[in-house]
Amino acid sequence: METGCRYIFLMLLYCASLPVLANADSSNIYQPDGERIIVHEADINALDVQLGIYAGLLSVQDFGSSTVSGIAAAFHVSEDFFLHASLGQSRLKKTSFEKLNPGFSLLSDDDRDYRYYTLGIGYNLFQGESFIASHAFNSAFYLTLAAGSTRFAGDQHHSLIWGFGYRIIWLDWLASHIEARDHVFDSDVFADDERFHSVELTTGLSVFF
């Protein structure tokens, strides 16, 4: 009987000490100060409209490299696909033959104006993040395919344009681009139905709405 009373007394003492032990354990738990920081990454949403400007170099077959500039627009149908259009212009330089023969001019001054417009589709092939100075920015490597019209040597030519680009989204409304495109068309400026390649390398900025 005495042993049973001791057992009951010890159980009551243990139960009474549980709140004290719980408070002692909670005091050793680290409680961080301040509010939790929520990181927000700028991204492109479906149905976003994008407007931008660009500039760079245009290398026209047999005419060397010239500066090019233009405006572009895009409509993001989904996270992967977008429609795009562009309007650009440049000024053709003299060919090597013209440089070697002073006084000879293959084209008039007006015919050296190079203009084009394009309309096509793009696909975001690789989407990820770019890390710059410990900051992460959403980015994408994308492919483009378009059809258009090119004014070259005084004539209009149907053209096929394909290329690729790299986009970094800095803010919800601002992005930068680097693009490479090849404008392919036929012209008889040197020979009948000669295939021309005009390689374009540009960089630009765009805003979203």
Side-chain angles (χ1 to χ4, degrees), residues 86-104:
S86 62
L87 178 65
Q89 64 177 5
S90 182
R91 177 108 176 142
L92 298 177
K93 293 184 178 180
K94 292 184 177 182
T95 63
S96 299
F97 184 80
E98 289 175 308
K99 294 178 181 179
L100 294 174
N101 295 271
F104 174 80

Side-chain angles (χ1 to χ4, degrees), residues 133-154:
S134 72
H135 294 280
F137 301 94
N138 283 326
S139 60
F141 177 84
Y142 56 90
L143 304 176
T144 58
L145 181 65
S149 180
T150 301
R151 179 174 177 80
F152 171 73

Side-chain angles (χ1 to χ4, degrees), residues 32-97:
D33 297 329
E35 298 180 355
R36 179 179 297 178
I37 299 176
I38 300 176
V39 178
H40 174 70
E41 294 184 0
D43 200 359
I44 295 177
N45 299 316
L47 306 182
D48 274 355
V49 176
Q50 176 183 350
L51 297 176
I53 58 175
Y54 62 88
L57 293 176
L58 177 70
S59 178
V60 183
Q61 185 173 317
D62 296 322
F63 284 89
S65 298
S66 304
T67 58
V68 63
S69 60
I71 57 176
F75 176 72
H76 293 268
V77 181
S78 66
E79 182 180 356
D80 297 322
F81 290 94
F82 59 92
L83 303 176
H84 68 92
S86 62
L87 178 65
Q89 64 177 5
S90 182
R91 177 108 176 142
L92 298 177
K93 293 184 178 180
K94 292 184 177 182
T95 63
S96 299
F97 184 80

Side-chain angles (χ1 to χ4, degrees), residues 155-174:
D155 293 322
Q156 291 291 139
H157 307 276
H158 296 292
S159 55
L160 176 67
I161 305 96
W162 66 274
F164 56 88
Y166 186 72
R167 177 198 310 116
I168 298 179
I169 306 174
W170 303 103
L171 301 170
D172 283 330
W173 56 272
L174 180 66

